[in-house]
Amino acid sequence: MTHLSSSPLVISLLSFSSSLPVVLFSIPAGLWADSGDRRKILLLAQALMLASAFTLGIQAVSGSLSEIAILLLSFSMGVGVALNGPAYQTVLSELVPPEEQQSAILVYYMGLNITRVVGPAIGGFILGFAGASSAFFVNAISFLGLIIYYWRWPMGKKPLKEAEKFNSYYQKINTQDWKILFSIHNLKLWIEILVVSFGASALWALYPVRGRLELHLDSLQYGSLLGCLGFGAFLSAMFSKHMMDFRRSGRSLSFAYLVFASGEAILGFADSYLVICLAMVLGGIGWIILATLMNMSTRQLTADSHLKATMLGVFLSVFYLGMTFGSVVWGTLAKLTTTSRALLVSSCLLFLCSVYKYQQKKTNQEPVL
């Protein structure tokens, strides 16, 4: 996209187009995962993402790739992410006992961010030496591994017919399951998640502008930026006992917001490759803490509910609503003023969230957000 357009708004719309499907489809995908065959959902999600990546490769080869095509195919890829999220994370909940779920989620995010260290470096190398189309095709092929895995995934029970499955599911649901979703207490949780993800979205939306257009990084350097973010997340996971105490989630989240805000502020004023790498490492440290603790808070709410995947769908929808809306707002502000100013404003918002969380921790010792 940075080769096709130099507009901060257009580039930030890439983050918008990939986040919007998660907002729109995560809750229906969660309901489907709670009532349906999760393996089918996971296979459909991977197939959709494979098709999107392969289509990008075809268009790159033919020279017909445009800003609109990238945005539409990014949206299609986002639909696959939306379908995959609730089903996959619910399976994760069922694989380990409740007392080990925080560790399991941490390992999940740690693995995800290790790929952010290795993947962008490989992608940048392929992009620099073989072109964009080759990078897209390699990406498409990578989804085959997951499709084969999910296809061979052993089922613990004989699958029910669809009609039996839905009838059995809706008979289990009671009024209390829905109250958990819409209680006033949980509304505060959703609002905080929305505000924080809105502020954090500036880094994701604008680091391409800072790195590619304003600092003129080459493909390998630019690809390594996500690797730096992944490295920061890896460091955070390695020292999670000190940084991520769920019994003191308020203090841990206040720290995460502050560190991520620092990363955004440094990114806004970075004048060299090493400084922008530092900003991304700080972003990675803050990101994995806030993502893990918010995810765990959502799982705690559904410990005895039949709507586990649906609740995770609500979490993903609210989280990505902030990311989606924020991408447009920060991209517009960067276009009207400067990228640095937009990142500074977003970092101030997260700093205020950090102060609020720290003050809240003094008066509320409950292990929830």
Side-chain angles (χ1 to χ4, degrees):
M1 184 65 89
T2 56
H3 283 283
L4 296 173
S5 175
S6 60
S7 168
L9 178 58
V10 172
I11 294 170
S12 66
L13 285 177
L14 190 60
S15 178
F16 170 84
S17 64
S18 61
S19 300
L20 182 60
V22 185
V23 177
L24 298 177
F25 302 120
S26 283
I27 297 176
L31 281 167
W32 188 14
D34 277 324
S35 61
D37 188 338
R38 289 171 189 158
R39 178 164 60 177
K40 290 181 180 178
I41 300 170
L42 292 169
L43 284 170
L44 176 61
Q46 302 306 316
L48 184 58
M49 289 188 279
L50 184 153
S52 301
F54 189 76
T55 304
L56 277 168
I58 293 293
Q59 291 206 332
V61 168
S62 65
S64 60
L65 199 56
S66 64
E67 294 100 321
I68 296 297
I70 292 178
L71 292 175
L72 289 175
L73 288 166
S74 177
F75 182 90
S76 175
M77 186 82 76
V79 174
V81 173
L83 293 175
N84 184 81
Y88 182 81
Q89 293 204 35
T90 306
V91 169
L92 182 67
S93 298
E94 296 172 350
L95 289 175
V96 296
E99 64 271 15
E100 294 182 8
Q101 285 199 17
Q102 182 178 353
S103 297
I105 294 167
L106 184 60
V107 170
Y108 162 69
Y109 279 116
M110 187 173 172
L112 187 66
N113 284 283
I114 287 174
T115 65
R116 283 184 174 143
V117 176
V118 179
I122 296 173
F125 178 82
I126 296 171
L127 184 64
F129 290 92
S133 59
S134 298
F136 291 138
F137 286 135
V138 171
N139 184 27
I141 293 170
S142 70
F143 289 109
L144 287 174
L146 279 170
I147 290 174
I148 293 170
Y149 173 77
Y150 290 137
W151 184 266
R152 296 172 58 86
W153 190 14
M155 300 295 289
K157 298 179 181 179
K158 184 178 179 181
L160 298 172
K161 294 180 180 179
E162 290 298 323
E164 294 175 349
K165 202 180 299 179
F166 277 91
N167 288 336
S168 173
Y169 166 67
Y170 285 112
Q171 286 172 4
K172 291 179 182 177
I173 295 177
N174 55 46
T175 306
Q176 187 62 30
D177 289 317
W178 296 108
K179 284 183 178 179
I180 292 174
L181 282 172
F182 300 110
S183 69
I184 295 177
H185 174 76
N186 294 337
L187 182 61
K188 296 177 182 178
L189 169 66
W190 307 137
I191 291 174
E192 182 174 347
I193 291 173
L194 179 67
V195 173
V196 170
S197 62
F198 172 79
S201 66
L203 182 142
W204 295 97
L206 297 177
Y207 89 86
V209 180
R210 290 290 294 139
R212 193 67 171 168
L213 300 181
E214 297 180 359
L215 294 181
H216 307 291
L217 302 182
D218 60 37
S219 295
L220 193 57
Q221 289 177 322
Y222 176 69
S224 69
L225 294 183
L226 269 185
C228 292
L229 189 140
F231 178 69
F234 178 77
L235 289 177
S236 188
M238 289 294 292
F239 298 98
S240 60
K241 288 185 178 180
H242 303 286
M243 296 183 178
M244 212 179 305
D245 187 348
F246 191 71
R247 293 167 299 178
R248 297 187 178 94
S249 61
R251 184 173 66 180
S252 295
L253 282 166
S254 176
F255 170 76
Y257 301 162
L258 181 61
V259 172
F260 198 94
S262 301
E264 286 191 329
I266 293 173
L267 178 64
F269 295 101
D271 58 358
S272 68
Y273 172 64
L274 291 179
V275 176
I276 200 172
C277 284
L278 172 63
M280 297 299 282
V281 169
L282 290 174
I285 292 172
W287 182 259
I288 196 172
I289 298 173
L290 68 89
T292 302
L293 291 179
M294 287 178 174
N295 193 308
M296 274 303 300
S297 295
T298 304
R299 289 170 189 271
Q300 274 206 335
L301 298 176
T302 58
D304 300 317
S305 173
H306 297 100
L307 296 170
K308 290 183 173 62
T310 305
M311 180 65 89
L312 286 166
V314 174
F315 162 69
L316 291 170
S317 183
V318 173
F319 192 89
Y320 278 88
L321 177 61
M323 296 286 289
T324 303
F325 182 56
S327 297
V328 178
V329 171
W330 303 124
T332 302
L333 183 60
K335 182 176 176 63
L336 295 176
T337 58
T338 64
T339 308
S340 297
R341 185 165 296 178
L343 285 163
L344 182 60
V345 172
S346 66
S347 69
C348 289
L349 174 62
L350 285 178
F351 175 76
L352 292 176
C353 290
S354 175
V355 173
Y356 165 77
K357 202 66 195 176
Y358 185 79
Q359 293 297 325
Q360 187 186 51
K361 180 266 298 184
K362 291 182 177 180
T363 58
N364 183 9
Q365 297 299 322
E366 295 181 9
V368 295
L369 289 175

mmCIF file of all heavy atoms in Angstrom, residues 305-321:
data_model
loop_
_atom_site.group_PDB
_atom_site.id
_atom_site.type_symbol
_atom_site.label_atom_id
_atom_site.label_comp_id
_atom_site.label_asym_id
_atom_site.label_seq_id
_atom_site.Cartn_x
_atom_site.Cartn_y
_atom_site.Cartn_z
ATOM 1 N N SER A 305 -20.822 -20.304 31.954
ATOM 2 C CA SER A 305 -21.802 -19.978 30.924
ATOM 3 C C SER A 305 -21.700 -20.938 29.742
ATOM 4 O O SER A 305 -20.647 -21.528 29.497
ATOM 5 C CB SER A 305 -21.591 -18.536 30.443
ATOM 6 O OG SER A 305 -22.416 -18.250 29.336
ATOM 7 N N HIS A 306 -22.814 -21.070 29.017
ATOM 8 C CA HIS A 306 -22.828 -21.856 27.782
ATOM 9 C C HIS A 306 -22.466 -21.000 26.569
ATOM 10 O O HIS A 306 -22.495 -21.469 25.441
ATOM 11 C CB HIS A 306 -24.204 -22.487 27.566
ATOM 12 C CG HIS A 306 -24.589 -23.464 28.634
ATOM 13 N ND1 HIS A 306 -25.443 -23.136 29.663
ATOM 14 C CD2 HIS A 306 -24.199 -24.748 28.846
ATOM 15 C CE1 HIS A 306 -25.590 -24.186 30.456
ATOM 16 N NE2 HIS A 306 -24.852 -25.180 29.988
ATOM 17 N N LEU A 307 -22.159 -19.728 26.822
ATOM 18 C CA LEU A 307 -21.890 -18.794 25.724
ATOM 19 C C LEU A 307 -20.422 -18.366 25.720
ATOM 20 O O LEU A 307 -20.110 -17.200 25.513
ATOM 21 C CB LEU A 307 -22.794 -17.560 25.850
ATOM 22 C CG LEU A 307 -24.295 -17.812 25.711
ATOM 23 C CD1 LEU A 307 -25.084 -16.567 26.095
ATOM 24 C CD2 LEU A 307 -24.635 -18.222 24.291
ATOM 25 N N LYS A 308 -19.526 -19.304 25.950
ATOM 26 C CA LYS A 308 -18.105 -18.952 26.045
ATOM 27 C C LYS A 308 -17.582 -18.327 24.750
ATOM 28 O O LYS A 308 -16.922 -17.287 24.763
ATOM 29 C CB LYS A 308 -17.290 -20.196 26.394
ATOM 30 C CG LYS A 308 -17.493 -20.706 27.815
ATOM 31 C CD LYS A 308 -16.600 -21.900 28.086
ATOM 32 C CE LYS A 308 -16.674 -22.320 29.561
ATOM 33 N NZ LYS A 308 -18.018 -22.741 29.954
ATOM 34 N N ALA A 309 -17.847 -18.960 23.627
ATOM 35 C CA ALA A 309 -17.362 -18.422 22.351
ATOM 36 C C ALA A 309 -18.046 -17.105 22.013
ATOM 37 O O ALA A 309 -17.429 -16.201 21.446
ATOM 38 C CB ALA A 309 -17.585 -19.440 21.230
ATOM 39 N N THR A 310 -19.340 -16.984 22.375
ATOM 40 C CA THR A 310 -20.065 -15.742 22.116
ATOM 41 C C THR A 310 -19.456 -14.587 22.904
ATOM 42 O O THR A 310 -19.266 -13.487 22.384
ATOM 43 C CB THR A 310 -21.543 -15.897 22.487
ATOM 44 O OG1 THR A 310 -22.079 -17.021 21.792
ATOM 45 C CG2 THR A 310 -22.325 -14.651 22.125
ATOM 46 N N MET A 311 -19.132 -14.846 24.197
ATOM 47 C CA MET A 311 -18.517 -13.802 25.015
ATOM 48 C C MET A 311 -17.153 -13.410 24.454
ATOM 49 O O MET A 311 -16.806 -12.231 24.409
ATOM 50 C CB MET A 311 -18.368 -14.279 26.456
ATOM 51 C CG MET A 311 -17.728 -13.253 27.388
ATOM 52 S SD MET A 311 -18.734 -11.761 27.599
ATOM 53 C CE MET A 311 -19.752 -12.254 28.991
ATOM 54 N N LEU A 312 -16.372 -14.387 24.020
ATOM 55 C CA LEU A 312 -15.095 -14.065 23.391
ATOM 56 C C LEU A 312 -15.311 -13.287 22.103
ATOM 57 O O LEU A 312 -14.512 -12.421 21.742
ATOM 58 C CB LEU A 312 -14.306 -15.352 23.112
ATOM 59 C CG LEU A 312 -13.687 -16.006 24.353
ATOM 60 C CD1 LEU A 312 -13.222 -17.422 24.039
ATOM 61 C CD2 LEU A 312 -12.536 -15.174 24.887
ATOM 62 N N GLY A 313 -16.414 -13.584 21.395
ATOM 63 C CA GLY A 313 -16.768 -12.814 20.205
ATOM 64 C C GLY A 313 -17.087 -11.376 20.550
ATOM 65 O O GLY A 313 -16.710 -10.443 19.824
ATOM 66 N N VAL A 314 -17.780 -11.160 21.690
ATOM 67 C CA VAL A 314 -18.069 -9.794 22.145
ATOM 68 C C VAL A 314 -16.771 -9.063 22.458
ATOM 69 O O VAL A 314 -16.577 -7.903 22.071
ATOM 70 C CB VAL A 314 -18.985 -9.810 23.389
ATOM 71 C CG1 VAL A 314 -19.162 -8.405 23.951
ATOM 72 C CG2 VAL A 314 -20.351 -10.402 23.035
ATOM 73 N N PHE A 315 -15.862 -9.742 23.167
ATOM 74 C CA PHE A 315 -14.566 -9.138 23.486
ATOM 75 C C PHE A 315 -13.825 -8.722 22.219
ATOM 76 O O PHE A 315 -13.342 -7.591 22.097
ATOM 77 C CB PHE A 315 -13.719 -10.129 24.293
ATOM 78 C CG PHE A 315 -12.251 -9.801 24.307
ATOM 79 C CD1 PHE A 315 -11.776 -8.691 24.985
ATOM 80 C CD2 PHE A 315 -11.336 -10.600 23.633
ATOM 81 C CE1 PHE A 315 -10.425 -8.386 24.999
ATOM 82 C CE2 PHE A 315 -9.986 -10.306 23.637
ATOM 83 C CZ PHE A 315 -9.526 -9.193 24.329
ATOM 84 N N LEU A 316 -13.740 -9.628 21.250
ATOM 85 C CA LEU A 316 -13.039 -9.326 20.007
ATOM 86 C C LEU A 316 -13.723 -8.200 19.243
ATOM 87 O O LEU A 316 -13.064 -7.333 18.662
ATOM 88 C CB LEU A 316 -12.954 -10.578 19.133
ATOM 89 C CG LEU A 316 -12.042 -11.695 19.649
ATOM 90 C CD1 LEU A 316 -12.239 -12.968 18.842
ATOM 91 C CD2 LEU A 316 -10.580 -11.269 19.614
ATOM 92 N N SER A 317 -15.058 -8.212 19.252
ATOM 93 C CA SER A 317 -15.812 -7.184 18.532
ATOM 94 C C SER A 317 -15.570 -5.802 19.134
ATOM 95 O O SER A 317 -15.322 -4.825 18.420
ATOM 96 C CB SER A 317 -17.302 -7.525 18.557
ATOM 97 O OG SER A 317 -18.043 -6.584 17.816
ATOM 98 N N VAL A 318 -15.629 -5.708 20.463
ATOM 99 C CA VAL A 318 -15.409 -4.424 21.143
ATOM 100 C C VAL A 318 -13.962 -3.972 20.955
ATOM 101 O O VAL A 318 -13.692 -2.802 20.663
ATOM 102 C CB VAL A 318 -15.756 -4.543 22.639
ATOM 103 C CG1 VAL A 318 -15.360 -3.267 23.385
ATOM 104 C CG2 VAL A 318 -17.244 -4.808 22.820
ATOM 105 N N PHE A 319 -13.029 -4.900 21.120
ATOM 106 C CA PHE A 319 -11.611 -4.572 20.980
ATOM 107 C C PHE A 319 -11.318 -4.035 19.581
ATOM 108 O O PHE A 319 -10.647 -3.001 19.422
ATOM 109 C CB PHE A 319 -10.775 -5.824 21.261
ATOM 110 C CG PHE A 319 -9.311 -5.557 21.420
ATOM 111 C CD1 PHE A 319 -8.778 -5.257 22.660
ATOM 112 C CD2 PHE A 319 -8.454 -5.612 20.334
ATOM 113 C CE1 PHE A 319 -7.410 -5.012 22.810
ATOM 114 C CE2 PHE A 319 -7.100 -5.372 20.472
ATOM 115 C CZ PHE A 319 -6.574 -5.070 21.715
ATOM 116 N N TYR A 320 -11.824 -4.719 18.575
ATOM 117 C CA TYR A 320 -11.548 -4.304 17.205
ATOM 118 C C TYR A 320 -12.410 -3.120 16.763
ATOM 119 O O TYR A 320 -12.068 -2.459 15.781
ATOM 120 C CB TYR A 320 -11.711 -5.484 16.244
ATOM 121 C CG TYR A 320 -10.479 -6.355 16.205
ATOM 122 C CD1 TYR A 320 -10.314 -7.401 17.112
ATOM 123 C CD2 TYR A 320 -9.464 -6.119 15.288
ATOM 124 C CE1 TYR A 320 -9.169 -8.184 17.093
ATOM 125 C CE2 TYR A 320 -8.321 -6.898 15.265
ATOM 126 C CZ TYR A 320 -8.174 -7.929 16.172
ATOM 127 O OH TYR A 320 -7.040 -8.698 16.156
ATOM 128 N N LEU A 321 -13.505 -2.847 17.483
ATOM 129 C CA LEU A 321 -14.262 -1.627 17.199
ATOM 130 C C LEU A 321 -13.391 -0.408 17.492
ATOM 131 O O LEU A 321 -13.347 0.554 16.711
ATOM 132 C CB LEU A 321 -15.538 -1.581 18.038
ATOM 133 C CG LEU A 321 -16.396 -0.317 17.893
ATOM 134 C CD1 LEU A 321 -16.875 -0.151 16.455
ATOM 135 C CD2 LEU A 321 -17.584 -0.365 18.851
#
